[in-house]
């Protein structure tokens, strides 16, 4: 029967869970009274996420919503009444639907709208009336819709507060000068016009200031360089960050149309760039001698053999930063880049070559980096052997280098790394995360200037005095460490998350430590004494551990979480969750309430015993004052006498003998007669024995003559019995 009850309970629980899961409160769609679908997936901040639900029309959502995400549905149109009443809505995302039609007044009620995303839909015609009431709109995204023009009259004429504008796509054919009327200044402008056929010079010329511009002009750069140059000339300013997307230069291109605009660029980024050797030479000729401060290339595909001899004379002395990542060389065996890129390395203070399949950075190149202070060669194929060739033995190399990042390379020997670092006399920051380090030698030599060391996400199981004592910041996160007992007197930040620590490291070894991060370990408990061992600790992150929620730990941590201590818990209450005892597993420490019996058992027992003793004494005094003990004694005597009388009577009946004398008399008296009974009656009665049952005299019979006759009668009975 108990088993059957448990099965019934589990069955009802499963039914309840299914009902809750499919109910509207969890955000699934139901039909409203007017036939439109509904969505109630709104959080406490009134952000409604109704994406990926297969809606074919705008669902009914609470009028109080501030953010409405309807992306990646199958909505084909927005009617006049779909968004009526959403006067508080600030963000509307219709990205990735099948929108082909929007009523001219569909957005008129959205007075508070600040962000509108209509990208990746099927809008062939844009209507200026959509935005006529959106006077405080800050961001508008119209990318990747099949419209060929922005339409007439000007689409953005009333958007006086617009700061981020994105439009265009593969079908955009022309941009006329009046298309951007009303747009005066932007923080961000993105234009996709890979098939643009017409551009009126000056279309973007009136937008000032202009923070950053992203242009995707693959077709114009390849086939209509004059038009591309005119567009670029309108947006190029020293304060504007220029980003060019999806450029494929398979051959050399004319540089003269771009000379004027390129001289006004200070920060240039190229994304998804395909170049031949001839195009590379043309690009170097284009930026030769221009005051370009930084050049960034993300996603570079080289189709040639790296023979850039004609680019060796390129003057890039004004360039402080060169960044290149995700490089693909189609013919690696024939590529001779290492000889031909020295012009890129001579003047840069910050140099990054990331994820480029580079297996060697030779001394021949590094000795040219006389000004390099920051070098990032992460996510390449450098090994311990090839790393040793980075620094020349007979020539000072990388003498100004302060930051070196070689993370994500297949390195295994810390000895080889320390040998390299010793030759970098000004090195302060060293990043070697995501490597193959599994052990440390007993001792290592490091430059005295080294302050920051990151060996996170390696395979270290132990630490040794190999680590430099000059460190101020040490990151050993996500290794396999169980303890850390080194003495680092200057250490200010220690990051040990993702290891296997059972307790906090001893604070006495780090007298200047200010920040300790030890999340996602196997910590069970820590207390005030542990933290007090750190003299200057200010910030602690120790969440996501397997905490045992004892009374002491819960009380201590609660006080720390509310900020009552000197140490700030930086990772929030939600990250501190009980792992045991079992009935508290998964409960946040801040929500745990333990009883006094669990937290103070000794005190509880002591107080309980004290209260019980006091009550017992109080009851005893009360019983004594009420003569309860005397009544109990008399009751016991009466019961005992009655029981003995019944036993004798039972024995007499069984033997058939004469009645036995049980007692002479049973006297019940009050306290006021006690003196008389004890001093006169009892002595008199103890001298006699009788089998005669006498009835107690009435009050008026209490006189001396009665007792004399009583004594005489008792004597006669004794004589007869004898």
């Amino acid at each position: 029967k108990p088993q059957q009850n448990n099965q019934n309970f589990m069955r009802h629980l499963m039914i309840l869970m299914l009902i809750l899961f499919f109910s509207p409160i969890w955000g699934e769609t139901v039909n409203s009274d007017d036939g439109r679908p509904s969505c109630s997936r709104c959080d406490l901040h009134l952000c409604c996420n109704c994406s990926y639900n297969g809606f074919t029309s705008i669902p009914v959502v609470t009028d109080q919503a501030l953010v409405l995400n309807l992306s990646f549905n199958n909505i084909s149109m927005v009617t006049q009444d779909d968004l009526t009443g959403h006067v508080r809505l600030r963000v509307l995302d219709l990205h990735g639907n099948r929108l082909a039609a929007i009523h001219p007044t569909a957005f008129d009620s959205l007075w508070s709208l600040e962000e509108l995303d209509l990208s990746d839909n099927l809008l062939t015609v844009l209507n200026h009336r959509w935005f006529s009431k959106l006077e405080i709109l800050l961001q508008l995204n119209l990318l990747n819709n099949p419209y060929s023009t922005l339409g007439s009259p000007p689409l953005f004429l009333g958007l006086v507060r617009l700061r981020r504008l994105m439009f265009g796509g593969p079908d955009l054919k022309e941009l006329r000068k009046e298309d951007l009327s009303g747009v005066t200044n932007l923080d961000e402008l993105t234009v996709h016009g890979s098939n643009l056929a017409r551009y009126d010079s000056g279309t973007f010329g009136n937008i000032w200031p202009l923070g950053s511009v992203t242009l995707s002009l693959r077709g114009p750069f390849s086939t209509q360089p004059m038009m591309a140059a005119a567009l670029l000339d309108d947006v190029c300013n020293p304060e504007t960050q220029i980003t060019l997307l999806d450029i494929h230069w398979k051959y050399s291109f004319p540089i003269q149309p771009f000379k004027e605009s390129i001289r006004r660029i200070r920060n240039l980024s190229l994304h998804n760039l395909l170049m031949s050797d001839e195009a590379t030479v043309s690009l170097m000729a284009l930026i030769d001698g221009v005051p370009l401060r930084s050049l960034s290339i993300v996603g570079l595909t080289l189709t040639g053999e790296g023979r850039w001899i004609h680019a060796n004379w390129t003057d890039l002395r004004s360039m402080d930063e060169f960044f290149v990542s995700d490089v693909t060389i189609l013919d690696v065996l024939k590529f001779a880049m290492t000889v031909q890129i020295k012009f890129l390395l001579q003047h840069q203070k910050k140099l990054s070559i990331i994820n480029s399949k580079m297996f060697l950075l030779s001394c021949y190149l590094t000795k040219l980096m006389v000004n390099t202070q920051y070098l990032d060669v992460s996510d390449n194929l450098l090994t311990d052997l090839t790393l040793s060739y980075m620094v020349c033995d007979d020539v000072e190399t990388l003498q100004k280098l302060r930051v070196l990042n070689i993370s994500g390379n297949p390195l295994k020997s810390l000895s080889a790394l320390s040998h390299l670092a010793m030759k970098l006399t000004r090195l302060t920051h060293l990043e070697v995360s995501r490597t193959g380090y599994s052990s440390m030698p007993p001792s290592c030599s490091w430059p005295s200037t080294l302050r920051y060391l990151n060996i996170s996400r390696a395979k270290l199981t132990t630490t040794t005095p190999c680590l430099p004592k000059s460190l101020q910041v040490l990151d050993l996160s996500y290794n396999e460490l169980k303890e850390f007992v080194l003495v680092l007197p200057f250490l200010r930040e220690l990051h040990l998350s993702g290891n296997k620590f059972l307790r906090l490291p001893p604070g006495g070894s780090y007298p200047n430590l200010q920040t300790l991060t030890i999340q996602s370990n196997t910590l069970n408990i820590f207390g005030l004494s542990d933290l007090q061992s750190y003299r200057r600790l200010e910030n602690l992150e120790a969440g996501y551990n397997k905490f045992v929620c004892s009374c002491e730990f819960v009380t201590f941590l609660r006080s720390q979480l509310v900020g009552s201590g000197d140490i700030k818990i930086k990772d929030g209450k939600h990250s501190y969750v009980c792992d045991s005892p079992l009935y508290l597993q998964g409960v946040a420490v801040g929500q745990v309430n333990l009883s006094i019996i669990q937290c103070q058992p000794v005190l509880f027992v002591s107080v309980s015993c004290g209260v019980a003793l006091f009550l017992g004494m109080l009851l005893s005094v009360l019983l004594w004052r009420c003569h309860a003990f005397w009544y109990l004694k008399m009751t016991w005597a009466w019961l005992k006498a009655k029981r003995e009388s019944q036993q004798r009577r039972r024995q007499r009946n069984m033997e058939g003998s004469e009645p036995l004398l049980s007692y002479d008399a049973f006297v019940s008296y009050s306290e006021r007669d006690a003196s008389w009974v004890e001093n006169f009656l009892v002595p008199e009665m103890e001298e006699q024995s009788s089998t005669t049952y006498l009835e107690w005299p009435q009050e008026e019979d209490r006189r001396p003559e009665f007792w004399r006759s009583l004594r005489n009668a008792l004597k006669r009975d004794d004589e007869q019995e004898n």
Side-chain angles (χ1 to χ4, degrees):
K1 187 174 181 180
Q3 183 177 3
Q4 184 179 0
N5 292 336
N6 292 335
Q7 292 176 351
N8 292 334
F9 172 78
M10 292 301 297
R11 188 180 299 110
H12 288 100
L13 181 61
M14 290 298 296
I15 294 173
L16 179 61
M17 292 176 63
L18 289 173
I19 293 174
L20 290 175
F21 183 81
F22 288 105
S23 66
I25 195 172
W26 291 99
E28 295 300 326
T29 58
V30 296
N31 290 329
S32 61
D33 295 337
D34 60 357
R36 289 169 55 195
S38 297
C39 176
S40 57
R41 288 166 52 181
C42 302
D43 60 21
L44 297 176
H45 302 287
L46 297 176
C47 297
C48 302
N49 184 5
C50 304
S51 59
Y52 294 99
N53 266 310
F55 292 121
T56 56
S57 61
I58 301 293
V60 176
V61 183
T62 173
D63 292 345
Q64 304 301 314
L66 300 177
V67 177
L68 178 55
N69 184 358
L70 294 170
S71 60
F72 300 104
N73 284 289
N74 297 316
I75 301 172
S76 59
M77 66 180 301
V78 182
T79 67
Q80 182 179 7
D81 301 324
D82 283 345
L83 297 170
T84 301
H86 289 280
V87 295
R88 300 186 60 192
L89 193 64
R90 295 181 181 179
V91 179
L92 176 60
D93 188 353
L94 289 164
H95 165 72
N97 280 276
R98 299 181 179 179
L99 275 178
I102 300 177
H103 192 275
T105 62
F107 303 138
D108 283 3
S109 63
L110 307 182
W111 307 323
S112 303
L113 197 66
E114 297 177 354
E115 298 182 17
L116 176 59
D117 191 342
L118 298 173
S119 60
D120 294 297
N121 281 286
L122 303 175
L123 298 172
T124 57
V125 178
L126 302 180
N127 192 333
H128 73 284
R129 293 188 59 188
W130 296 342
F131 316 119
S132 60
K133 302 294 184 180
L134 307 182
E135 297 179 354
I136 66 170
L137 191 68
L138 299 176
Q139 176 175 315
L140 176 60
N141 189 347
L142 299 171
L143 287 172
N144 299 324
N145 281 279
Y147 51 82
S148 58
T149 66
L150 294 181
S152 180
L155 194 64
F156 316 114
L157 193 59
L159 304 180
V160 294
R161 298 186 61 183
L162 194 64
R163 292 296 177 267
R164 293 179 295 277
L165 175 61
M166 292 148 276
F167 68 88
D171 294 283
L172 184 64
K173 299 299 181 183
E174 63 177 37
L175 285 174
R176 297 170 299 178
K177 193 169 184 177
E178 62 272 14
D179 285 344
L180 274 295
S181 297
V183 181
T184 56
N185 60 84
L186 292 174
D187 296 331
E188 180 182 340
L189 172 64
T190 300
V191 179
H192 287 190
S194 57
N195 296 312
L196 192 66
R198 174 189 172 184
Y199 176 79
D200 292 348
S201 181
T203 300
F204 298 123
N206 295 325
I207 303 176
W208 177 258
L210 189 55
S212 66
V213 176
T214 301
L215 302 175
S216 178
L217 303 172
R218 177 178 175 178
F221 271 112
S222 300
T223 61
Q224 300 188 57
M226 296 299 294
M227 185 181 68
L231 193 155
L232 200 60
D233 189 63
D234 283 347
V235 298
C236 287
N237 296 289
E239 295 81 8
T240 303
Q241 168 74 41
I242 302 296
T243 301
L244 303 179
L245 307 178
D246 305 320
I247 298 177
H248 289 191
W249 282 326
K250 297 181 180 180
Y251 309 100
S252 62
F253 57 89
I255 64 173
Q256 193 60 38
F258 301 99
K259 268 295 185 180
E260 185 62 31
S261 57
I262 201 69
R263 290 185 178 277
R264 299 200 303 271
I265 298 178
R266 298 294 179 268
N267 304 288
L268 177 62
S269 296
L270 304 172
H271 291 204
N272 191 18
L273 177 63
L274 184 144
M275 298 179 67
S276 62
D277 286 347
E278 296 82 4
T280 302
V281 174
S282 297
L283 179 61
M284 293 301 105
L286 179 61
I287 64 176
D288 178 38
V290 302
L292 192 65
R293 288 196 295 262
S294 70
L295 175 62
S296 174
I297 304 176
V298 178
L300 174 61
T301 302
L302 298 172
T303 62
E305 299 178 357
R307 304 191 182 281
W308 306 335
I309 299 175
H310 297 292
N312 283 343
W313 42 262
T314 304
D315 181 8
L316 299 177
R317 68 184 62 190
S318 64
M319 187 187 297
D320 292 332
E321 180 179 355
F322 176 66
F323 177 95
V324 60
S325 69
D326 305 321
V327 177
T328 301
I329 302 174
L330 297 184
D331 196 348
V332 178
L333 297 179
K334 295 182 179 180
F335 202 78
M337 182 182 68
T338 55
V339 180
Q340 306 298 336
I341 65 170
K342 61 181 182 181
F343 63 90
L344 285 172
L345 310 176
Q346 294 176 338
H347 306 288
Q348 286 68 45
K349 294 180 180 179
K350 190 173 182 180
L351 178 62
S352 301
I353 306 173
I354 302 171
N355 192 24
S356 302
K357 299 180 177 62
M358 181 174 63
F359 59 88
L360 176 64
L361 185 60
S362 67
C363 164
Y364 173 78
L365 294 176
T366 56
K367 69 181 180 181
L368 299 175
M369 303 178 188
V370 293
N371 294 316
T372 304
Q373 299 178 12
Y374 178 99
L375 178 60
D376 187 348
V377 289
S378 58
D379 297 306
N380 283 289
L381 302 176
L382 299 174
T383 64
D384 297 322
L385 179 61
T386 59
L387 202 63
S388 63
Y389 293 103
M390 184 183 295
V391 180
C392 304
D393 293 330
D394 54 345
V395 180
E396 290 186 351
T397 311
L398 299 172
Q399 290 304 297
K400 292 185 178 181
L401 189 66
R402 297 180 181 275
V403 180
L404 175 61
N405 187 350
I406 51 178
S407 301
N409 284 279
L411 305 175
K412 296 183 179 180
S413 173
L414 271 174
S415 297
L417 178 65
S418 66
H419 181 71
L420 169 67
M422 275 299 294
K423 298 179 181 181
L424 307 175
T425 56
R426 294 189 180 182
L427 188 67
T428 59
H429 287 64
L430 180 58
E431 291 261 4
V432 285
S433 62
R434 296 179 287 111
T435 53
Y437 296 129
S438 59
S439 62
M440 291 185 181
S443 62
C444 303
S445 298
W446 302 90
S448 59
T449 56
L450 191 61
R451 298 291 182 267
Y452 177 96
L453 179 60
N454 182 357
I455 321 181
S456 63
R457 300 185 183 276
K459 301 176 182 178
L460 295 173
T461 56
T462 58
T463 56
T464 70
C466 172
L467 294 175
K469 294 186 179 297
S470 61
L471 290 178
Q472 295 181 358
V473 179
L474 176 60
D475 191 346
L476 293 171
S477 302
Y478 298 98
N479 282 278
E480 299 178 8
L481 301 174
K482 295 182 179 179
E483 60 179 3
F484 187 73
V485 292
L486 300 180
V487 177
L488 299 173
F490 303 106
L491 197 65
R492 294 183 179 180
E493 293 185 22
L494 179 59
H495 303 277
L496 299 172
S497 297
N499 284 283
K500 299 179 180 179
F501 285 91
L502 294 173
R503 59 184 62 86
L504 296 180
S509 302
Y510 323 106
N512 290 299
L513 192 68
Q514 298 176 359
T515 299
L516 175 61
T517 303
I518 191 167
Q519 296 178 325
S520 302
N521 279 269
T522 53
L523 285 178
N524 295 133
I525 197 170
F526 62 91
L528 183 61
S529 60
D530 298 316
L531 298 184
Q532 286 178 341
S533 64
Y534 298 90
R535 301 176 187 175
R536 298 185 178 180
L537 190 64
E538 297 177 357
N539 304 308
L540 174 66
E541 295 182 13
Y544 306 106
N545 279 285
K546 299 183 180 299
F547 293 116
V548 176
C549 286
S550 62
C551 295
E552 296 81 3
F553 177 72
V554 170
T555 304
F556 160 73
L557 191 58
R558 275 183 174 176
S559 64
Q560 295 296 320
L561 289 173
V562 298
S564 61
D566 297 331
I567 299 174
K568 297 180 180 178
I569 304 294
K570 304 293 289 186
D571 45 355
K573 301 178 181 179
H574 63 279
S575 59
Y576 293 85
V577 178
C578 298
D579 185 68
S580 64
L582 188 60
Y583 69 93
L584 290 176
Q585 194 173 56
V587 180
V589 175
Q591 299 177 351
V592 173
N593 293 310
L594 298 175
S595 65
I596 189 174
I597 301 177
Q598 296 170 295
C599 294
Q600 300 289 344
V602 176
L603 177 62
F604 176 77
V605 171
S606 301
V607 172
S608 300
C609 292
V611 171
L613 181 61
F614 173 76
L615 293 177
M617 294 177 61
L618 183 63
L619 181 62
S620 300
V621 171
L622 184 62
L623 293 176
W624 178 77
R625 292 292 298 174
C626 296
H627 304 286
F629 297 110
W630 183 85
Y631 285 109
L632 289 175
K633 184 178 179 182
M634 291 299 102
T635 302
W636 171 250
W638 179 79
L639 292 174
K640 183 178 179 181
K642 185 175 181 181
R643 181 172 177 273
E644 290 177 354
S645 174
Q646 291 175 350
Q647 289 177 349
R648 288 191 181 96
R649 189 178 297 110
R650 192 180 301 114
Q651 182 178 2
R652 182 192 61 193
N653 293 334
M654 291 175 60
E655 295 176 356
S657 57
E658 294 295 329
L660 296 177
L661 180 64
S662 299
Y663 46 80
D664 295 326
F666 186 87
V667 181
S668 177
Y669 58 94
S670 65
E671 184 180 4
R672 63 183 181 181
D673 296 327
S675 177
W676 181 81
V677 170
E678 293 174 358
N679 297 327
F680 183 80
L681 177 61
V682 172
E684 290 291 336
M685 294 185 68
E686 285 179 347
E687 293 177 1
Q688 307 294 333
S689 60
S690 174
T691 58
T692 303
Y693 292 91
L694 301 174
E695 183 179 352
W696 184 255
Q698 299 297 323
E699 189 70 26
E700 59 273 12
D701 293 331
R702 293 180 183 178
R703 53 186 180 273
E705 291 81 6
F706 164 75
W707 294 109
R708 282 194 293 270
S709 61
L710 177 61
R711 284 196 296 271
N712 294 332
L714 292 175
K715 287 181 180 180
R716 287 194 301 271
D717 290 341
D718 277 347
E719 291 175 356
Q720 293 176 0
E721 182 178 1
N722 293 330

